[in-house]
Amino acid sequence: MKFPMRRHKKVGLALGGGAARGLAHIGVLKALAENNVPIDVIAGTSIGALVGVCFAKDGEIDTLEEIVLNIDWKQLALLVDPNLALLKKGFIHGEKIKELLCSIIGDIEFKDLKIPFRVIATDATTGEEIVIDGGSVAEAVRASISIPVLFTPVKFGNKFLIDGGMVNPVPVDTAKNMGAEFVIACNVIPEPQKRKRNYMKNKSMTKLTKKIDPNTPNIVDVLINSFYIMEHRIAVLNLKKADIIINPEVNDISILEFYKGAEAISEGYKAVLDALPKIKKQANIC
């Protein structure tokens, strides 16, 4: 007597924000693909959106991995395009980052992607979560990575959008709304007390104002860390909805240490291998 083969559950992947730590998503996708775990839908926030779309385009992540491992990160400053005329709108305009993304995936729209994909952004005026599933992919990702104050908001239709991590740092619910029956969530936002601190001392300022502790974090540190403290609190709640949570060990990578891409990718890969038996069993994957 022949028994019918069990259909695997529709698998969704939720990739969260976390700047340089989010390069671990590359390792996660690489490990899932190499171990024949199907990814049916993807939802991404911030760096998770950037990495996720590279995989959603044609189901491979090798091209992005090669770029991350071989790029001269000392030239990262070339991606920063400050516009003094727009300083009150945000320090970085972000068009060069959009151009880089277009050079990797092309100037494509959501309908051109092989795997259904959603990008999370935030309405800068109302605080509403915006799930983008149409139009320019690069423009949507550019909006999703726009950390408030650092980047200028992105006009998308009649809205101005900023980083999706403000409202949904690990979009598990979005993956479920896309029809996923089994959601794997990758979280790279560490608990605040475990986060690497890399504050820079301003010696000249300390000489002028001896009353200020030299270890006092600067305004950018405070801004970004405040952002991620908030994100972590929201992420904890969102992750409860996931079937499997992947937590790469990237606590020792600060948010701007993109040159540690090899380390981040390796940690993402290892984290998936640790969870692989459970993933295959619960998702009915042979």
Side-chain angles (χ1 to χ4, degrees):
M1 179 178 178
K2 291 185 178 181
F3 294 94
M5 293 182 63
R6 292 189 304 169
R7 181 187 68 86
H8 75 77
K9 294 180 181 179
K10 187 174 183 179
V11 179
L13 186 61
L15 301 177
R21 298 184 186 106
L23 296 178
H25 296 320
I26 296 173
V28 168
L29 284 161
K30 183 178 179 180
L32 291 173
E34 288 182 359
N35 289 280
N36 301 313
V37 176
I39 303 299
D40 299 297
V41 299
I42 303 174
T45 294
S46 200
I47 185 69
L50 192 154
V51 174
V53 74
C54 291
F55 187 81
K57 181 188 177 184
D58 49 25
E60 68 91 14
I61 200 66
D62 294 342
T63 300
L64 181 61
E65 180 184 22
E66 184 177 353
I67 291 172
V68 167
L69 294 180
N70 292 290
I71 193 171
D72 181 2
W73 289 106
K74 293 180 180 179
Q75 300 298 315
L76 183 63
L78 296 177
L79 297 180
V80 178
D81 49 352
N83 188 324
L84 296 179
L86 300 175
L87 192 56
K88 292 183 179 180
K89 311 294 184 182
F91 291 114
I92 303 171
H93 191 240
E95 283 303 307
K96 290 185 180 178
I97 294 176
K98 178 184 170 183
E99 290 171 9
L100 175 65
L101 182 59
C102 284
S103 72
I104 298 172
I105 64 170
D107 189 10
I108 60 176
E109 297 192 354
F110 281 80
K111 60 182 176 61
D112 301 316
L113 298 172
K114 179 179 179 179
I115 300 172
F117 179 68
R118 300 289 183 272
V119 171
I120 310 302
T122 305
D123 188 314
T125 303
T126 67
E128 175 188 4
E129 177 182 345
I130 305 297
V131 179
I132 308 175
D133 60 0
S136 167
V137 171
E139 194 71 7
V141 173
R142 157 77 177 86
S144 187
I145 66 173
S146 295
I147 297 175
V149 181
L150 292 185
F151 286 86
T152 58
V154 175
K155 188 171 185 180
F156 205 92
N158 61 350
K159 301 178 184 295
F160 286 94
L161 305 182
I162 54 177
D163 199 305
M166 298 287 294
V167 289
N168 199 345
V170 189
V172 176
D173 50 351
T174 304
K176 286 183 176 290
N177 291 338
M178 295 172 72
E181 302 166 299
F182 182 84
V183 178
I184 302 169
C186 183
N187 174 49
V188 293
I189 306 171
E191 297 178 32
Q193 60 268 31
K194 295 181 180 179
R195 185 177 297 120
K196 178 180 179 180
R197 289 164 175 78
N198 192 27
Y199 301 145
M200 297 185 66
K201 298 179 182 179
N202 189 327
K203 295 181 179 179
S204 60
M205 181 62 71
T206 302
K207 291 178 181 179
L208 293 173
T209 56
K210 294 183 179 180
K211 292 182 180 180
I212 298 178
D213 189 316
N215 293 310
T216 301
N218 63 47
I219 189 170
V220 175
D221 288 327
V222 172
L223 171 66
I224 295 178
N225 285 327
S226 298
F227 180 73
Y228 283 114
I229 288 170
M230 176 198 67
E231 275 201 352
H232 180 265
R233 291 180 179 273
I234 301 173
V236 168
L237 297 176
N238 290 357
L239 289 169
K240 292 179 180 179
K241 307 171 189 176
D243 297 285
I244 292 288
I245 302 172
I246 306 295
N247 287 304
E249 291 291 334
V250 290
N251 295 352
D252 290 334
I253 299 176
S254 73
I255 60 171
L256 296 179
E257 290 180 330
F258 287 92
Y259 60 89
K260 292 186 176 181
E263 178 183 340
I265 292 170
S266 176
E267 291 299 334
Y269 192 94
K270 288 190 293 185
V272 168
L273 294 186
D274 291 340
L276 194 59
K278 187 181 293 186
I279 291 173
K280 289 200 169 186
K281 180 179 181 181
Q282 293 186 16
N284 296 336
I285 300 169
C286 298

